[in-house]
Amino acid sequence: MMRRILLVCSLLWSFNVLSSVIQDKLFVGLGAGYGSSDWSYLCSAVPEVQLASPSKAVDQGVSANLFAQYIFSPYSSLRVNYESLPDAKITFEAHNIYPQFHFKKTTITSSTQVLGVAYEFMLPVYRQRYYAFSDLGIAATHRQDVLATQWHWGPLFGGGLGWHQRNFLAELGFQYSAGSAKATMQPADDYIPFTYDVFVQMGVKV
């Protein structure tokens, strides 16, 4: 009986210590910026190529993100973030070969979101409050429109400058995630945008 009581007390104490450690280093927050779900790799001004590729795309605008960041030390942290890129307006000419468009000039809306996990290397600049950082991780990019709904895993890169106090964190940075393109008869069916984002984000300790 005494052993069970001691075990329970030990587990409660360990949980309390772990919670205090995590809470002292875990930040959550949100941000906004200017981003692009880049369709330019697929667009073409050549009429013959426009049979299978869009003629133009408007894919830049305001982006938004949510993040959680666990700071291991003044030199490293782990970040999980969800990013919503601006919707892309993609135009296909009338002579396209996509049966969904009934051989008419068509503009579709494509939405892109990125879920990323990255290890952040931090270089303190002044009293460990200001720092430069670079991110390296993996991203799951989600594309959704009338042609396709699919996910793609790829590398994620980023960098910027940050400011960190006991209860508050702010960062100015950029993020890039790699997409995918395939040489097929209908390449727009399989295309995953390459995403770019310049952002400001702020978080609080939880």
Side-chain angles (χ1 to χ4, degrees):
M1 184 66 179
M2 183 59 66
R3 289 183 178 180
R4 292 182 180 180
I5 294 175
L6 290 174
L7 178 59
V8 171
C9 291
S10 299
L11 289 174
L12 290 174
W13 179 82
S14 299
F15 178 77
N16 184 55
V17 171
L18 181 60
S19 298
S20 65
V21 170
I22 291 177
Q23 289 176 354
D24 195 44
K25 297 183 178 181
L26 180 64
F27 292 78
V28 297
L30 51 81
Y34 188 82
S36 171
S37 52
D38 193 355
W39 281 76
S40 64
Y41 293 101
L42 200 62
C43 295
S44 176
V46 180
E48 291 78 10
V49 180
Q50 289 175 356
L51 287 168
S53 296
S55 57
K56 66 177 180 179
V58 179
D59 50 23
Q60 300 180 353
V62 176
S63 61
N65 71 79
L66 303 172
F67 76 94
Q69 185 167 342
Y70 183 81
I71 298 178
F72 296 109
S73 74
Y75 306 99
S76 65
S77 66
L78 182 70
R79 174 189 293 157
V80 178
N81 73 293
Y82 172 82
E83 181 181 27
S84 179
L85 279 301
D87 288 345
K89 304 293 184 181
I90 306 151
T91 300
F92 293 82
E93 296 300 319
H95 55 279
N96 73 82
I97 61 174
Y98 293 89
Q100 298 95 323
F101 303 150
H102 306 290
F103 308 104
K104 298 178 181 179
K105 184 173 182 178
T106 305
T107 299
I108 66 171
T109 299
S110 181
S111 62
T112 304
Q113 300 83 35
V114 177
L115 179 63
V117 179
Y119 189 84
E120 185 167 288
F121 301 90
M122 306 161 70
L123 178 63
V125 177
Y126 177 69
R127 295 183 179 178
Q128 297 185 349
R129 291 187 179 180
Y130 298 91
Y131 58 91
F133 68 88
S134 62
D135 293 338
L136 177 62
I138 188 170
T141 303
H142 180 243
R143 168 197 163 187
Q144 184 173 12
D145 51 58
V146 298
L147 288 178
T149 298
Q150 55 188 327
W151 289 86
H152 170 75
W153 291 92
L156 178 150
F157 308 97
L161 299 172
W163 176 68
H164 169 226
Q165 274 195 332
R166 180 174 178 81
N167 299 311
F168 186 77
L169 177 148
E171 290 184 339
L172 169 65
F174 73 92
Q175 179 175 287
Y176 164 82
S177 64
S180 174
K182 298 180 181 179
T184 63
M185 290 297 295
Q186 295 179 299
D189 287 344
D190 301 302
Y191 184 75
I192 298 293
F194 295 72
T195 70
Y196 311 84
D197 185 34
V198 177
F199 60 83
V200 175
Q201 62 184 20
M202 289 177 266
V204 295
K205 187 179 71 173
V206 296

